[in-house]
Amino acid sequence: MQSSPTTPPHRVVLVEDHDMVAEAIGLALEQAADITVVARAKSIAEALAETQRHKPDVVVLDRRLPDGDAIGAIGELSTTGARVLVLTGEASAAVATRVAEAGGAGLVLKSSRLDELEAAVLQVAAGEVAFGPGLLAGVLDRLTGRRGGTPLTAREQETLVLLAGGASTEEVSERLGVTRNTVRNHVQRILDKLGARSKLEAVAIARREGLLD
């Protein structure tokens, strides 16, 4: 489909390391009105380079890439003026909140229909946000503090990750270089913030909420 002669198409950099998925998405977007894919990247490093080179309107960004979790690159990708739409295989309100806090404009499930992805790209290009069904309310709740409690501190997050890996209080103490009493304090604050009654329950809640992704 051709774009309007008076309106330049929205320029997109597609970041996806799986060739078949990238081809399907690329073809769908190229057929859409007012969208043109100007480059494709397969890693965070390539995404940064292509975004700097092409200065796109939108970066469609696969979350899981060979060189890491791409959410951490959203801030740098946005410095060119691009708006970032994240693609993910699994989504939770906690992950969507991470995207929003990093400066992302939306989060779409890879299982979404291609027309839904097209609509999300156009929304983002128009300056709106595009979070999948059921995610936006959770994002707003967490960003405004209505639900989810106080966010974990960096040290509490480290403690939680170690607990999820099966570490004991003594092992967490050694890994973090703090006293066992300090670890116990971290654990208690984690339990309070997650509304959990045990370390096992805290890990289960954290996994469900995407805090261990």
Side-chain angles (χ1 to χ4, degrees), residues 2-210:
Q2 297 298 316
S3 60
S4 167
T6 59
T7 305
H10 301 297
R11 303 169 74 253
V12 172
V13 167
L14 173 59
V15 188
E16 168 60 63
D17 62 319
H18 293 95
D19 289 334
M20 291 183 64
V21 175
E23 184 175 354
I25 293 173
L27 286 173
L29 293 181
E30 284 287 4
Q31 291 173 7
D34 300 324
I35 297 174
T36 183
V37 178
V38 296
R40 180 190 160 196
K42 296 185 178 183
S43 66
I44 293 171
E46 287 183 11
L48 293 169
E50 295 296 343
T51 300
Q52 287 291 335
R53 180 176 298 117
H54 294 281
K55 305 293 193 294
D57 302 300
V58 178
V59 176
V60 177
L61 181 68
D62 184 15
R63 182 187 171 194
R64 299 292 190 188
L65 293 167
D67 48 353
D69 184 338
I71 292 177
I74 289 175
E76 191 169 355
L77 289 167
S78 301
T79 60
T80 63
R83 306 198 78 220
V84 180
L85 176 66
V86 175
L87 286 175
T88 184
E90 297 181 5
S92 67
V95 172
T97 301
R98 284 186 58 207
V99 170
E101 289 176 332
L107 179 72
V108 176
L109 282 167
K110 284 189 174 184
S111 58
S112 299
R113 298 193 313 269
L114 290 173
D115 63 324
E116 293 174 332
L117 174 59
E118 173 194 338
V121 170
L122 292 173
Q123 277 182 269
V124 167
E128 301 173 14
V129 295
F131 288 92
L135 292 177
L136 185 57
V139 172
L140 293 175
D141 281 344
R142 283 163 173 76
L143 291 180
T144 58
R146 288 198 300 269
R147 192 175 67 181
T150 307
L152 298 179
T153 65
R155 187 60 98 185
E156 289 162 1
Q157 182 70 34
E158 290 175 322
T159 301
L160 179 61
V161 169
L162 291 172
L163 293 177
S168 66
T169 299
E170 291 75 15
E171 289 168 334
V172 174
S173 171
E174 291 175 5
R175 293 281 295 277
L176 298 184
V178 297
T179 66
R180 281 177 288 182
N181 192 52
T182 297
V183 173
R184 283 190 282 269
N185 288 337
H186 288 328
V187 170
Q188 187 57 54
R189 285 194 292 270
I190 291 169
L191 298 183
D192 292 341
K193 290 178 179 181
L194 296 183
R197 290 163 294 185
S198 68
K199 289 187 283 188
L200 185 61
E201 185 180 7
V203 169
I205 291 171
R207 290 195 190 285
R208 187 177 69 239
E209 292 293 315

